[in-house]
Every structure is written in structure tokens, then in C-alpha cells.
């Protein structure tokens, strides 16, 4: 079996992915996302920048001509070429496996090798700014193959990172043994009769071309990785206790989990309730949302039974203090509505450390009007201008709460204020008006959803974005294209998406208020 660096890199990120790449049905793969294509383009651009400073030679061979490529690389090494770009090296490895390495660079150094009074050090060009574990493992893989080819033990390998003028030297004494363990595990996995267990890790899986296929498998299995809060580490702890289904998780006493690594009392309670919510397909209140009213001290009910009004069931045994009403402070905080409300969302370009669109939806309940304002930096140097425009608008409504979803908007306003030396008296009163709808929901309820992202919640409520395929990631790609080709239709798509984000935040907030009022007034919670 042929094992290359790309396969090993995939294994480091997901044990299932290399198996599918080698033995899966290619028809089930997703097309590369726009953001993934942008990452490829960015990495290529970074590589060109590094190569521009080097005098290098490249072995000439076509795709699929491995033997030709290997021979051309060895010829350049025998000639003592100072720098070789994308040479191809192969060696035989245990049990009829072939290791194939194609380092970005092979750089000549003083020393002894089978080629003469010189040797080569492998270097990998990476788009990241820090030496991640996966980078160092792959660099060690290159060094391992190179050592066998030039018949001298490798002492180091280099990483050329973005924003770094000097090469990062990989400690092979540390990473070579770890790489060999990973390599052997990967080879063993590739010989299994079936693919490794699916696990949906939203951030890691989002760019994978097997995401749709794996997600469908997870849905069919009702896999616990679809339960918000169940991380790979927590899942491993649950498996030790033979908790592998929604039913068994929902019936678990949280106190059995709270002392496990990665858990505590709050996490355990929330995960158990999350499983219950998914099973019954309805929102459930978290314990801290409810008041302190109790019943006879000799009576006990499971919290799930109490919320759902279910008959006592010995299989549902998690015990909580019984409450009969929503905490009035929580109720007043969430259901507060101002005459004028502001909904705020930002679009950013991480590579440029740029916040290029500040979108504001002003909802005037008294006049029954909604006005959207789009402050967009058509050029990166206009960020300061749109920041001032944003401040001028929100100060027109000094008493209006500013609703947003997740902490990014709050953190960004702090950063922009510092960057553009905005006086505290102009910023602190604005920050005091910020209300995080994500925080309000996740501290009050569990929802029958796989994710608490804005899109997931809003679509569950029936809200739809006008551009069905638009995402924050695609906006990064579109803005990058705008800067390169000046296509104004891209800006209009981004503006529309940003407005829909603001309106989705409004829809979620409006639903939360109405839901709390209906639960409070109708007294659906019964002891």
C-alpha cells in the first residue's frame, strides 16, 4: 500500500478520512468548498513568496510517473544541487508498504551522505503562523524517508511558516518516534475491513469532502457526536460507561458523569438534557432558569419527567430539585423589549485582520419600521471610516439595546476602539448595551438541534436566507474575489447575507421572548 504525507496528515485530523479516500466511493464526495479553494490559493501564493527568495531546481515529471520523478530527484541530489523543489522520494516499509514523500524543499547542507560530502534537510512550507503538531509530524515523516534515501540519520527538518523570516527547526528526537507510532496506526487502520467509527466534529469536518456522507451516516445511527457538547474526549468517557445512544444518555444520572475528565456538574446536566431534548424534539429549560419552589421533601421526580409531564419511570432516574416557575429575574431579563432595538452583525476577512462590513438593523416598535444600514469597507483602509459610521448611528439611539449572536461582535468593537483610539466615553456606553442572544439561549434552554449556530437555530424556526448557499466562509471567499476583480455583484451578495444575519438574530430573539412568555403565562410546568 502506498502511504504519502497527505494520507498521514488526514489521519492526524480524522481517522476515518484516509480510509474513505483510499477505499470509499468517490461518488459520495462533496465538491471542494469555496473556502477550501481559497485556502489552496493562499497556500500556493505563500509558497511562491518563499520560492521567490530561493535559487532552486525542480525535477521534471508528469503526474503518475512516480519512478521517473524519483529518478529525476535522485539525479539532482547526486549532482549536489543547492535546493530542490518538490522532489519525490520513496522507500519500502514494513509488510509491503511504500512510503512516498514529496517535501516542498530539499536544502543542501554540509555533512556526509551516500551522495558525497553533503546531505539534504527537508523543509515544508505551511500557511499557518505557528508550528502545529500536524506540521511537525509531517516534517518528521519527510525526514524519516529522506534518511533512508541518503543513508544518513536526519538531525532536523524545517518548517517555513507564514509571517516568519526564519525557518522553524523541528525536534526530531521528540517527533520521530511519535510519527512512527502514528504511521503504524494509520497503516493498520487502512487494512481494517470497514471504515472507523464516524464522529462529526463541526469545526474539523466543515472543510472535508466526505462531510455530507459522514453526516448522513451519523444521522442514521443517531450518533452521540451530533449532541452539542459531546466532544471526542467526552465521547470516549461515555463509551467507557457503555453510554452510546441518545436513550442511554438521556437516562443517565448526571452525577455519574460530573467527575469524569472533561465534565463537571454543569456540563453533565446540560448534555443529559440535550439528549432528552433531541429525543422528544422540543426545547427544555435548564435548571438554573427555574425558581426554587419545591414539593414535599419525601417526593422526588426526575428533572426530565418534571419538565415533560411524563409519568414516573424507573429508567429515567436523574434527580433535580423540583421547580414550578421560571425564575422572575431570568424572565424579566429575556422578555424585556425596548421601543427601539438594534441588531448587529459583522463580516470579517481573517487573513487581513479586517472587519470590512458592519451591518445594523434598527427596529422601531413604536413606528413599526425596520431599517438596515450596511457600513462596508470597499478597500481595507476604509475600516476606520466604517467604524466611525457605526458609532455615529448607534449613538443616535443611546437607549437602544444592541443585540448580537455570540461574542465576536462585542470583542471586535473593543478591538476597533483600541485600534482607532476611540475615547472610552464613546465606546463603554455602547458596550454596556450589548446583549448576546446566543448566551441568553444557551444559559436558559436546550434545543432539539445538532448545533447552536445562528443558521441552525433560525432555520429551525423557519427563517431562511435569501441566498441559500451563502455562508460566512463563502463571504470570506467572495470578498477576496472582490478585492481581486472588482465585481460589485459580490459585494451585493455579501450585503444581503449580512442583512439576513441581522434579521435572523432578530427572529431568534423574538422567538425566545414569545416562548418565555407563553411558558410563564400558561403554567405548562407542573409539579
Amino acid at each position: 500500500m502506498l502511504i504519502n504525507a497527505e494520507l498521514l496528515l488526514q489521519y492526524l485530523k480524522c481517522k476515518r478520512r484516509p480510509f474513505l479516500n483510499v477505499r470509499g466511493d468517490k461518488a459520495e464526495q462533496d465538491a471542494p468548498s469555496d473556502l477550501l479553494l481559497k485556502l489552496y490559493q493562499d497556500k500556493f501564493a505563500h509558497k511562491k513568496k518563499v520560492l521567490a527568495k530561493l535559487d532552486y531546481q525542480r525535477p521534471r515529471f508528469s503526474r503518475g510517473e512516480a519512478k521517473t520523478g524519483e529518478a529525476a530527484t535522485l539525479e539532482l541530489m547526486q549532482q549536489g544541487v543547492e535546493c530542490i523543489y518538490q522532489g519525490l522520494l520513496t522507500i519500502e516499509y514494513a509488510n509491503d508498504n511504500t512510503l512516498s514523500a514529496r517535501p516542498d524543499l530539499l536544502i543542501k547542507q554540509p555533512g556526509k551522505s551516500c551522495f558525497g560530502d553533503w546531505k539534504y534537510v527537508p523543509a515544508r512550507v505551511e500557511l499557518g503562523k505557528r508550528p502545529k503538531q500536524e506540521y511537525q509530524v509531517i516534517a518528521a515523516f519527510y525526514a524519516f524517508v529522506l534518511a533512508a534515501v541518503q543513508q544518513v540519520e536526519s538531525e532536523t527538518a524545517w518548517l517555513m511558516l507564514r509571517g516568519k523570516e526564519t525557518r522553524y527547526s523541528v525536534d526530531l528526537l521528540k517527533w520521530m518516534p511519535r510519527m512512527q507510532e502514528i504511521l503504524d496506526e494509520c497503516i493498520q487502520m487502512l487494512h481494517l475491513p470497514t471504515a472507523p467509527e464516524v464522529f462529526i466534529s463541526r469545526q474539523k469536518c466543515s472543510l472535508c469532502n466526505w462531510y455530507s456522507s459522514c453526516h448522513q451516516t451519523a444521522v442514521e445511527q443517531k450518533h452521540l457526536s451530533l449532541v452539542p457538547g459531546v466532544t471526542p474526549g467526552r465521547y470516549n468517557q461515555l463509551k467507557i460507561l457503555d453510554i452510546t445512544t441518545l436513550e442511554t444518555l438521556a437516562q443517565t444520572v448526571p452525577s455519574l458523569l460530573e467527575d469524569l475528565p472533561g465534565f463537571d456538574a454543569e456540563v453533565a446536566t446540560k448534555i443529559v438534557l440535550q439528549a432528552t431534548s433531541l429525543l422528544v424534539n422540543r426545547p427544555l429549560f435548564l435548571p438554573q432558569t427555574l425558581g426554587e419552589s419545591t414539593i414535599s421533601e419525601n417526593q422526588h421526580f426526575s428533572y426530565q419527567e418534571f419538565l415533560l409531564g411524563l409519568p414516573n419511570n424507573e429508567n429515567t432516574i436523574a434527580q433535580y430539585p423540583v421547580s414550578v416557575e421560571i425564575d422572575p429575574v431570568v424572565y424579566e431579563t429575556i422578555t424585556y423589549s425596548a421601543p427601539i432595538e438594534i441588531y448587529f452583525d459583522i463580516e470579517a476577512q481573517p487573513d487581513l485582520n479586517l472587519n470590512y462590513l458592519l451591518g445594523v438593523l434598527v427596529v422601531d416598535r413604536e413606528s413599526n419600521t425596520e431599517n438596515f444600514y450596511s457600513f462596508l469597507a470597499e478597500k481595507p483602509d476604509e475600516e476606520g471610516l466604517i467604524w466611525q459610521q457605526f458609532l455615529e448611528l448607534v449613538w443616535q439611539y443611546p437607549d437602544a439595546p444592541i443585540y448580537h449572536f455570540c461574542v465576536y461582535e462585542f470583542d471586535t468593537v473593543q478591538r476597533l476602539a483600541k485600534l482607532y483610539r476611540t475615547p472610552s466615553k464613546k465606546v463603554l456606553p455602547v458596550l454596556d448595551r450589548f446583549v448576546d442572544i446566543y448566551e441568553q439561549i444557551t444559559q436558559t434552554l436546550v434545543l432539539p438541534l445538532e448545533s447552536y449556530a445562528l443558521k441552525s437555530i433560525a432555520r429551525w424556526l423557519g427563517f431562511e436566507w435569501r441566498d441559500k448557499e451563502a455562508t460566512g466562509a463563502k463571504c470570506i471567499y467572495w470578498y477576496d474575489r472582490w478585492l481581486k476583480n472588482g465585481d460589485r455583484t459580490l459585494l451585493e451578495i455579501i450585503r444581503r447575507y449580512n442583512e439576513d444575519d441581522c434579521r435572523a438574530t432578530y427572529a431568534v430573539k423574538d422567538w425566545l421572548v414569545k416562548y418565555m412568555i407563553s411558558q410563564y403565562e400558561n403554567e405548562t410546568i407542573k409539579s
Side-chain angles (χ1 to χ4, degrees):
M1 182 175 291
L2 182 67
I3 310 294
N4 58 29
E6 184 60 29
L7 209 61
L8 197 60
L9 180 60
Q10 293 166 6
Y11 182 78
L12 285 165
K13 296 178 178 180
C14 169
K15 291 179 171 56
R16 183 179 173 89
R17 183 175 176 181
F19 183 98
L20 294 176
N21 278 342
V22 172
R23 297 167 58 181
D25 182 356
K26 299 297 188 289
E28 296 180 359
Q29 289 183 310
D30 301 327
S33 68
D34 290 337
L35 182 57
L36 185 61
L37 293 174
K38 180 183 182 303
L39 289 174
Y40 289 150
Q41 293 167 1
D42 290 347
K43 186 168 184 178
F44 180 71
H46 174 51
K47 195 173 290 186
K48 283 182 63 177
K49 185 177 179 181
V50 171
L51 292 174
K53 302 176 182 179
L54 300 172
D55 182 16
Y56 64 89
Q57 293 189 42
R58 183 176 187 177
R60 298 188 176 279
F61 62 98
S62 302
R63 181 183 293 272
E65 296 181 350
K67 290 189 178 298
T68 302
E70 184 179 8
T73 302
L74 291 175
E75 182 178 348
L76 292 176
M77 296 174 78
Q78 288 168 347
Q79 293 173 8
V81 170
E82 291 295 324
C83 185
I84 302 170
Y85 175 56
Q86 287 195 339
L88 178 62
L89 307 172
T90 63
I91 62 170
E92 296 305 309
Y93 190 69
N95 299 324
D96 298 325
N97 295 297
T98 299
L99 304 186
S100 175
R102 198 172 183 186
D104 290 318
L105 297 167
L106 292 168
I107 301 174
K108 185 180 178 183
Q109 296 290 295
K112 295 281 188 180
S113 72
C114 65
F115 301 115
D117 293 332
W118 64 86
K119 61 182 180 180
Y120 286 91
V121 171
R124 182 173 174 91
V125 180
E126 289 290 357
L127 191 60
K129 295 181 179 180
R130 59 184 181 84
K132 300 177 184 178
Q133 171 183 318
E134 61 202 51
Y135 297 168
Q136 299 190 68
V137 169
I138 299 306
F141 175 78
Y142 288 154
F144 180 78
V145 175
L146 177 60
V149 169
Q150 63 183 359
Q151 298 176 24
V152 60
E153 185 175 350
S154 296
E155 296 176 355
T156 190
W158 292 325
L159 296 174
M160 295 182 171
L161 305 173
R162 186 171 50 149
K164 305 292 183 183
E165 295 298 325
T166 58
R167 298 173 293 209
Y168 179 87
S169 182
V170 176
D171 182 358
L172 294 183
L173 288 177
K174 174 183 177 181
W175 289 105
M176 189 70 79
R178 179 63 183 135
M179 182 280 297
Q180 288 182 269
E181 289 177 9
I182 294 169
L183 174 62
D184 292 341
E185 289 173 6
C186 180
I187 292 172
Q188 185 178 10
M189 177 277 299
L190 290 170
H191 286 88
L192 293 174
T194 58
E197 181 181 13
V198 70
F199 193 96
I200 301 299
S201 179
R202 289 154 191 81
Q203 187 173 4
K204 289 184 178 180
C205 294
S206 61
L207 295 178
C208 178
N209 53 3
W210 293 101
Y211 175 76
S212 295
S213 173
C214 288
H215 185 265
Q216 181 61 35
T217 298
V219 169
E220 292 169 357
Q221 296 176 358
K222 294 183 179 178
H223 196 272
L224 289 188
S225 63
L226 298 179
V227 178
V230 177
T231 61
R234 289 170 184 165
Y235 181 60
N236 288 334
Q237 295 298 320
L238 293 174
K239 285 200 295 184
I240 292 172
L241 298 178
D242 200 28
I243 300 171
T244 57
T245 66
L246 282 177
E247 290 80 3
T248 55
L249 180 54
Q251 293 167 7
T252 299
V253 180
S255 60
L256 293 177
L257 306 177
E258 60 188 42
D259 291 329
L260 297 175
F263 287 85
D264 56 29
E266 182 179 347
V267 168
T269 298
K270 199 163 189 177
I271 285 179
V272 169
L273 285 179
Q274 186 67 67
T276 307
S277 177
L278 288 165
L279 277 175
V280 300
N281 193 32
R282 57 166 284 192
L284 299 178
F285 283 108
L286 288 167
Q288 61 266 29
T289 308
L290 303 176
E292 295 297 326
S293 301
T294 60
I295 58 173
S296 168
E297 63 181 51
N298 293 323
Q299 283 187 284
H300 298 282
F301 293 84
S302 78
Y303 184 63
Q304 295 97 321
E305 290 170 354
F306 175 67
L307 287 174
L308 298 170
L310 299 175
N312 191 26
N313 183 331
E314 63 181 3
N315 293 323
T316 309
I317 56 178
Q319 303 294 324
Y320 293 87
V322 174
S323 308
V324 296
E325 61 184 19
I326 301 170
D327 185 292
V329 174
V330 174
Y331 178 80
E332 292 294 334
T333 299
I334 290 180
T335 58
Y336 170 75
S337 291
I340 297 178
E341 297 174 346
I342 291 173
Y343 294 85
F344 178 39
D345 186 76
I346 295 175
E347 304 303 329
Q349 194 75 354
D351 290 344
L352 302 176
N353 196 26
L354 170 70
N355 296 280
Y356 65 87
L357 199 164
L358 310 179
V360 178
L361 175 66
V362 178
V363 177
D364 189 328
R365 295 185 180 276
E366 293 182 336
S367 64
N368 197 28
T369 60
E370 299 173 7
N371 293 299
F372 179 71
Y373 301 86
S374 180
F375 305 120
L376 193 149
E378 296 190 1
K379 297 180 291 185
D381 61 7
E382 292 177 355
E383 183 186 61
L385 172 64
I386 67 169
W387 164 241
Q388 293 303 322
Q389 292 172 336
F390 165 77
L391 283 178
E392 289 171 8
L393 177 66
V394 296
W395 270 105
Q396 291 180 30
Y397 310 98
D399 298 320
I402 302 173
Y403 294 100
H404 58 104
F405 196 89
C406 286
V407 73
Y408 182 79
E409 279 69 23
F410 184 90
D411 289 346
T412 298
V413 166
Q414 288 185 309
R415 187 188 73 80
L416 292 175
K418 183 177 181 180
L419 178 63
Y420 295 106
R421 301 179 182 275
T422 307
S424 297
K425 64 181 182 180
K426 294 288 291 182
V427 178
L428 294 182
V430 172
L431 289 171
D432 286 342
R433 293 153 53 195
F434 272 51
V435 181
D436 188 348
I437 300 299
Y438 170 82
E439 184 178 89
Q440 285 194 337
I441 284 183
T442 56
Q443 292 184 0
T444 305
L445 296 166
V446 289
L447 304 178
L449 299 172
E450 295 176 16
S451 164
Y452 284 81
L454 178 61
K455 269 195 170 59
S456 179
I457 299 174
R459 282 179 169 157
W460 175 66
L461 298 175
F463 182 92
E464 280 298 337
W465 277 250
R466 282 169 285 181
D467 298 291
K468 302 296 183 183
E469 301 302 316
T471 64
K474 283 198 171 185
C475 285
I476 294 173
Y477 174 72
W478 290 331
Y479 190 75
D480 184 66
R481 285 179 57 194
W482 150 255
L483 292 178
K484 291 176 180 176
N485 64 24
D487 183 355
R488 299 197 70 85
T489 60
L490 296 171
L491 291 186
E492 292 309 311
I493 295 173
I494 295 171
R495 278 195 181 99
R496 192 160 58 241
Y497 173 77
N498 179 257
E499 179 179 353
D500 286 349
D501 273 356
C502 290
R503 293 188 178 278
T505 304
Y506 177 29
V508 172
K509 188 264 183 183
D510 196 46
W511 172 84
L512 180 59
V513 170
K514 291 176 180 177
Y515 184 79
M516 292 291 287
I517 291 174
S518 69
Q519 297 299 300
Y520 188 79
E521 292 182 348
N522 295 333
E523 291 290 337
T524 57
I525 300 178
K526 299 179 180 178
S527 52

